[in-house]
Amino acid sequence: SICCVSCHLASDMAKSERRNRDFRDIITKIHFPGRGADSAAAAAAAAAAAAAEEAEKPQSASPKDRILDNEIVFWMGDLNY
């Protein structure tokens, strides 16, 4: 799976700790609601309801809940490093 992140981190040479903290916050706090392990119960209920239809379709990989759960992450924006 692929995840694209775009952000604008704090500018100014004196704010490197702020940039680092913001990066860590993005990595740890951003999650995608309704995807991955956080929605296991809802996904199980939906899967049970659609089991007959889904049996005929090819199965895809499960969605990723957090940024670093993805195999490829493109990080872009004005990072100010």
Side-chain angles (χ1 to χ4, degrees):
S1 61
I2 298 173
C3 180
C4 297
V5 179
S6 179
C7 67
H8 181 197
L9 300 179
S11 61
D12 195 327
M13 291 296 292
K15 296 183 181 176
S16 63
E17 282 302 312
R18 166 83 187 271
R19 285 189 291 278
N20 293 339
R21 185 179 65 241
D22 289 346
F23 173 80
R24 283 189 301 272
D25 285 348
I26 292 168
I27 288 293
T28 59
K29 294 180 181 178
I30 298 294
H31 71 280
F32 307 106
R35 298 177 64 174
D38 290 344
S39 63
E53 273 184 43
E54 294 299 316
E56 297 176 14
K57 296 180 183 178
Q59 297 297 314
S60 62
S62 63
K64 306 302 182 182
D65 187 48
R66 301 215 179 259
I67 293 171
L68 294 181
D69 290 340
N70 294 277
E71 287 81 20
I72 299 171
V73 177
F74 290 102
W75 200 287
M76 55 203 126
D78 190 352
L79 305 179
N80 286 306
Y81 279 100

